[in-house]
Amino acid sequence: MVTKKSSVDPPAAPGPPKVAVRAAEKRGYGVPMEQPERADRPTPDADRPGGVLVVGDPPRRPRWRERISLTLDLIRANPTGRIALKIFIAIAGAIVVTVGIALIPLPGPGWLLVIAGLGIWAVEYHWARRLLGFTRRHVYGWTRWVTRQSLLVRVVLGSVGLVFVATVVWLSLKFSLGIDLVATAMHYLATH
């Protein structure tokens, strides 16, 4: 059946629709093509003369991010793929976070791995996205605060950090491996 287009119909967007949208529609899922109205977005007639909102093109994302986003959309278009993606993201994030937590007491990238694990979880889970945003804001704020301080304050903060790390390493070795570094050092100093 062929239908004629009327002059009232909106013109079609140039170019083919996204692959994920086509795949979802082929499987029988309804995909809304219009963006819902949101409170944080201005309406087209928001305080503009003539009711026209002039908006420049949004900044283009890097090509690799677009490909990852497209691949994730394709996976999410299938119910089995959506569940498999959630399980995979949950396991991968848990492994990275667990390794990061295990490395926190040791010198190295423990906190970086915990934040990376949160980043992995943030791909699929909203709570992780919010927690990652909270962490980024506070780390950035802390870093800016420390860089504005005098050299003496930064040396004191660094010293406190080193004492904390040394205490955690000492307690970890003492209770997990049975090695008491303080007793060994005291014995070495007493005999030599």
Side-chain angles (χ1 to χ4, degrees):
M1 175 175 176
V2 177
T3 59
K4 290 184 176 182
K5 289 187 177 184
S6 71
S7 60
V8 180
D9 291 336
K18 284 187 168 183
V19 176
V21 172
R22 285 191 306 227
E25 287 174 344
K26 186 174 20 173
R27 288 180 176 83
Y29 298 105
V31 180
M33 296 303 286
E34 296 179 8
Q35 293 283 332
E37 292 289 327
R38 290 188 0 197
D40 60 342
R41 288 189 184 167
T43 57
D45 56 354
D47 302 331
R48 302 280 185 211
V52 177
L53 177 64
V54 180
V55 178
D57 290 336
R60 188 170 165 90
R61 292 193 320 182
R63 186 175 174 98
W64 63 271
R65 290 191 72 185
E66 286 181 4
R67 292 190 73 107
I68 290 173
S69 178
L70 182 64
T71 303
L72 290 174
D73 287 344
L74 276 171
I75 293 170
R76 288 182 186 122
N78 183 349
T80 306
R82 190 177 317 117
I83 292 171
L85 180 66
K86 276 193 178 284
I87 291 170
F88 175 76
I89 293 293
I91 291 172
I95 289 171
V96 174
V97 167
T98 304
V99 170
I101 288 173
L103 291 178
I104 285 174
L106 304 174
W111 284 110
L112 279 174
L113 286 175
V114 171
I115 292 172
L118 276 177
I120 292 171
W121 278 337
V123 168
E124 200 59 33
Y125 299 104
H126 183 67
W127 62 266
R129 198 172 304 127
R130 284 193 344 245
L131 184 58
L132 187 62
F134 173 83
T135 305
R136 282 181 181 163
R137 281 191 312 274
H138 282 75
V139 166
Y140 181 68
W142 170 257
T143 305
R144 281 187 29 217
W145 180 82
V146 168
T147 56
R148 287 192 314 257
Q149 301 307 310
S150 67
L151 181 63
L152 177 65
V153 172
R154 286 187 276 175
V155 167
V156 167
L157 288 172
S159 301
V160 167
L162 286 175
V163 167
F164 175 75
V165 168
T167 304
V168 169
V169 168
W170 171 63
L171 289 172
S172 298
L173 289 174
K174 182 177 180 179
F175 291 115
S176 61
L177 299 177
I179 301 171
D180 191 359
L181 291 177
V182 173
T184 306
M186 297 301 273
H187 177 69
Y188 177 78
L189 290 174
T191 58
H192 287 86

